[in-house]
Amino acid sequence: MNIGQAAERSGLPVKTIRYYEQIGLIEAPARRQSGYRFYDETDVQTLLFIQRARSLGFSVDDCRDLLALYRGQDRSAAEVKALALDRIGEIDGKIGELMSIRATLSALADRCGGVERNNGNVLKNFSSSS
């Protein structure tokens, strides 16, 4: 498939795919005799993975590390497992932070009547009782 089809299937803009190739996040795909890039299903799956990881807040470098874990043919199983467990720990930390923010916002919403304007009193009351 061409880059436009790969973009459509992965949900990434063509420009982003080219950028990921330029920075080495993904390997440049094979080219046809015409010079056009040719993407296969493995390329699309990699792009889908990156798109999902980015949508969850992972940086480009995080994606690079995650892909290296997946592709880690020159790494020992123990090394891959240790890196994966480290990443899981980071994800668990982010989940904890998000749960804390959620609890704070939920408590704020519970304290708000939602109808009248409080001129900052809700935030004042909220911050003094937390």
Side-chain angles (χ1 to χ4, degrees), residues 1-8 32 36-39:
M1 74 188 77
N2 64 34
I3 193 168
Q5 292 165 322
E8 186 175 316
R32 295 185 178 178
Y36 289 106
R37 294 169 175 89
F38 178 77
Y39 296 83

Side-chain angles (χ1 to χ4, degrees), residues 53-70:
R54 297 284 291 140
S55 74
L56 293 171
F58 287 95
S59 70
V60 169
D61 285 336
D62 289 337
C63 290
R64 190 182 313 277
D65 292 343
L66 291 169
L67 287 169
L69 281 176
Y70 177 72

Side-chain angles (χ1 to χ4, degrees), residues 7-121:
E8 186 175 316
R9 297 233 358 247
S10 67
L12 291 170
V14 168
K15 187 174 183 178
T16 300
I17 295 172
R18 287 188 179 130
Y19 171 71
Y20 289 162
E21 289 174 17
Q22 180 184 1
I23 64 170
L25 183 60
I26 60 172
E27 295 178 22
R31 290 189 180 257
R32 295 185 178 178
Q33 286 182 340
S34 63
Y36 289 106
R37 294 169 175 89
F38 178 77
Y39 296 83
D40 62 18
E41 190 59 33
T42 301
D43 296 321
V44 171
Q45 291 304 313
T46 300
L47 292 170
L48 283 165
F49 175 82
I50 294 168
Q51 189 272 346
R52 177 85 171 125
R54 297 284 291 140
S55 74
L56 293 171
F58 287 95
S59 70
V60 169
D61 285 336
D62 289 337
C63 290
R64 190 182 313 277
D65 292 343
L66 291 169
L67 287 169
L69 281 176
Y70 177 72
R71 296 176 181 146
Q73 294 141 346
D74 59 338
R75 295 181 180 197
S76 71
E79 183 181 11
V80 170
K81 182 176 182 176
L83 290 170
L85 290 173
D86 285 347
R87 184 62 65 187
I88 289 169
E90 291 174 19
I91 291 168
D92 287 343
K94 287 180 183 180
I95 289 170
E97 291 174 21
L98 288 170
M99 295 293 286
S100 175
I101 291 169
R102 184 188 187 288
T104 299
L105 289 173
S106 181
L108 178 62
D110 289 346
R111 291 188 174 123
C112 291
V115 177
E116 72 282 346
R117 182 180 170 124
N118 291 328
N119 294 324
N121 291 335

